[in-house]
């Protein structure tokens, strides 16, 4: 989906209120919408056979009995300048969407000759208003590009471009004089649905008595061959409890407290990982040679534990992994906790 948010010019068509003249699409607009999708949304244009097939599929859905709703903006020459298409589908009811009706913004497209005039904002805003006010849709979802995501955040969506969501309800009616106002408390599930998603991990930084980092060799992650003791937190688990569990499962040792946080590491969402990641890295202390020799590895996860000077780890790890290890080593050495926010960017 694309977005265009630049100021308009005096030559552009406007309605009586000064807005772009958006209209509801009908079945007769199915082919033009299909061609807009083919040319400006899909990575490869559709063949003519597919254009006909998609047009035939979309036309009956753009009726009051169908599940598609679209709004378009016509250019002065009668061609389609911009359009927004949404699909309505049922979901199980929840406090955030009690009617059990959801809407997916399937596509938003603007012809290149008419971009940067606010047309995308006009058609998608009208679509969202119609779905919420007329169709009783309260849950909205869409997939977009990073460039267009700011527009949808302005319209109330949250999350990352791979999946943005919004819940929207009609404003409460104004009561009679003296009537108690309608509560504006947001149900917990509605509030939770609006929050960005993140996955939480914990790690334990352990060295030998000469302060050489100990790391485990993974049998399942070629992209991260060597890493610290640790893993994902379970739902409701406290970070230090998760560290102790991971340490027992991966090495057979019991992590010694008290908890001492060395670093916080943040990772941006990516296509293969749609959530942000947050890692808390704790100090696991120093192990004797006998303790290191006595480690009991889980063969489903690791096949070797190795101790090396920090500089020698660099050749065995991706750059981002070594940057994290170096920051953690410095944090223990200096006593100043590290903050790394470029995890996963490389």
């Amino acid at each position: 989906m694309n977005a265009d948010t630049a100021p308009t010019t005096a030559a552009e068509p406007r309605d009586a209120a000064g807005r772009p003249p958006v209209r509801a699409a009908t079945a007769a607009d199915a082919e033009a919408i299909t061609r807009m999708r083919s040319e400006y949304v899909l990575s490869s244009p559709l063949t003519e056979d597919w254009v006909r097939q998609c047009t035939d599929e979309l036309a009956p859905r753009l009726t009051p009995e169908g599940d598609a709703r679209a709004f378009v903006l016509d250019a002065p020459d009668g061609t389609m300048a911009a359009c927004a298409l949404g699909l309505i589908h049922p979901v199980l009811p929840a406090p955030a969407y009690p009617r059990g009706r959801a809407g997916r913004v399937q596509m938003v497209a603007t012809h290149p000759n008419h971009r940067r005039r606010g047309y995308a904002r006009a058609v998608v805003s009208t679509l969202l208003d119609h779905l919420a006010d007329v169709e009783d849709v309260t849950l909205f979802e869409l997939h977009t590009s990073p460039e267009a995501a700011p527009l949808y955040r302005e319209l109330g969506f949250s999350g990352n471009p791979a999946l943005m969501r919004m819940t929207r309800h009609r404003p409460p009616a104004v009561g009679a004089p003296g009537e108690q106002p309608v509560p504006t408390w947001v149900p917990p599930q509605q509030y939770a649905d609006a929050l960005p998603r993140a996955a939480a991990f914990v790690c334990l930084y352990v060295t030998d008595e000469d302060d050489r980092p100990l790391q485990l060799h993974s049998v399942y992650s070629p992209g991260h061959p060597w890493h610290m003791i640790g893993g994902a937190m379970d739902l409701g688990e406290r970070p230090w409890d998760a560290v102790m569990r991971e340490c027992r499962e991966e090495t057979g040792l019991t992590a010694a407290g008290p908890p001492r946080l060395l670093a916080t590491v943040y990772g941006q969402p990516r296509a293969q990982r749609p959530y942000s990641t947050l890692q808390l890295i704790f100090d696991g202390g120093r192990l004797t040679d006998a303790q290191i020799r006595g480690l009991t590895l889980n063969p489903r996860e690791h096949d070797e534990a190795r101790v090396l000077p920090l500089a020698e780890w660099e050749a065995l790890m991706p750059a981002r992994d070594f940057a994290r290890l170096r920051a953690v080593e410095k944090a223990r050495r200096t006593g100043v906790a590290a903050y790394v926010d470029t995890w996963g960017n490389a």
Side-chain angles (χ1 to χ4, degrees):
M1 288 186 285
N2 59 59
D4 47 12
T5 57
T8 59
T9 63
E12 297 166 6
R14 298 279 132 178
D15 63 13
R19 300 167 301 195
V22 177
R23 64 173 177 83
T26 68
D29 295 300
E31 181 179 351
I33 293 173
T34 298
R35 292 191 181 278
M36 291 282 281
R37 173 174 176 257
S38 171
E39 295 176 27
Y40 309 123
V41 176
L42 299 180
S43 56
S44 299
L46 298 173
T47 65
E48 282 302 308
D49 286 343
W50 270 104
V51 168
R52 287 193 296 272
Q53 182 175 332
C54 292
T55 299
D56 293 343
E57 168 76 19
L58 179 59
R61 300 172 70 175
L62 283 171
T63 62
E65 298 77 22
D67 64 343
R69 302 291 182 268
F71 287 84
V72 303
L73 200 153
D74 297 318
D77 63 1
T79 60
M80 189 171 289
C83 64
L85 171 68
L87 301 178
I88 303 169
H89 60 92
V91 293
L92 290 175
Y97 27 94
R99 295 296 301 275
R101 290 170 66 80
R104 180 174 184 83
V105 181
Q106 184 70 21
M107 58 158 283
V108 179
T110 307
H111 191 284
N113 293 344
H114 302 283
R115 288 178 182 169
R116 303 192 61 79
R117 302 179 183 181
Y119 287 2
R121 180 187 295 272
V123 291
V124 76
S125 297
T126 305
L127 173 65
L128 296 175
D129 289 345
H130 174 86
L131 293 176
D133 298 339
V134 179
E135 306 285 353
D136 284 329
V137 169
T138 49
L139 172 64
F140 298 84
E141 296 179 335
L142 60 84
H143 167 80
T144 189
S145 65
E147 295 76 17
L151 167 63
Y152 298 107
R153 290 194 178 96
E154 290 180 25
L155 295 173
F157 286 87
S158 62
N160 64 78
L163 177 61
M164 303 190 77
R165 306 182 84 202
M166 172 178 68
T167 52
R168 179 169 162 180
H169 299 268
R170 296 177 183 174
V174 179
E179 186 177 59
Q180 290 295 322
V182 177
T184 58
W185 175 78
V186 177
Q189 185 61 50
Q190 178 182 344
Y191 175 73
D193 287 343
L195 294 176
R197 301 294 191 266
F201 296 83
V202 291
C203 296
L204 195 66
Y205 177 70
V206 175
T207 67
D208 67 0
E209 293 179 304
D210 295 322
D211 287 331
R212 297 180 301 176
L214 178 146
Q215 296 206 95
L216 308 180
H217 185 260
S218 172
V219 300
Y220 60 85
S221 179
H224 301 277
W226 292 95
H227 52 75
M228 290 173 270
I229 298 166
M233 293 175 55
D234 291 338
L235 183 64
E237 193 174 33
R238 290 182 173 88
W240 182 248
D241 292 340
V243 163
M244 292 192 294
R245 173 182 56 77
E246 289 286 346
C247 187
R248 286 193 303 270
E249 293 174 355
E250 295 186 351
T251 68
L253 292 178
T254 299
R260 179 175 174 234
L261 188 65
L262 291 179
T264 300
V265 180
Y266 171 78
Q268 288 275 14
R270 292 183 296 166
Q272 298 82 7
R273 187 194 62 211
Y275 294 163
S276 302
T277 58
L278 184 68
Q279 304 173 22
L280 301 177
I281 303 179
F282 292 89
D283 191 346
R286 297 171 175 84
L287 300 181
T288 65
D289 290 343
Q291 287 175 310
I292 293 173
R293 288 194 301 270
L295 295 180
T296 303
L297 302 182
N298 183 341
R300 293 177 298 179
E301 297 189 36
H302 306 102
D303 59 7
E304 182 184 354
R306 188 181 297 185
V307 173
L308 290 173
L310 178 66
E312 294 184 22
W313 279 117
E314 185 171 10
L316 302 177
M317 307 169 65
R320 59 182 179 181
D321 291 21
F322 182 74
R324 178 182 64 164
L325 181 64
R326 183 174 53 198
V328 173
E329 185 276 337
K330 181 179 178 181
R332 183 206 264 183
R333 176 166 41 84
T334 63
V336 178
Y339 170 72
V340 180
D341 63 3
T342 55
W343 175 254
N345 291 4

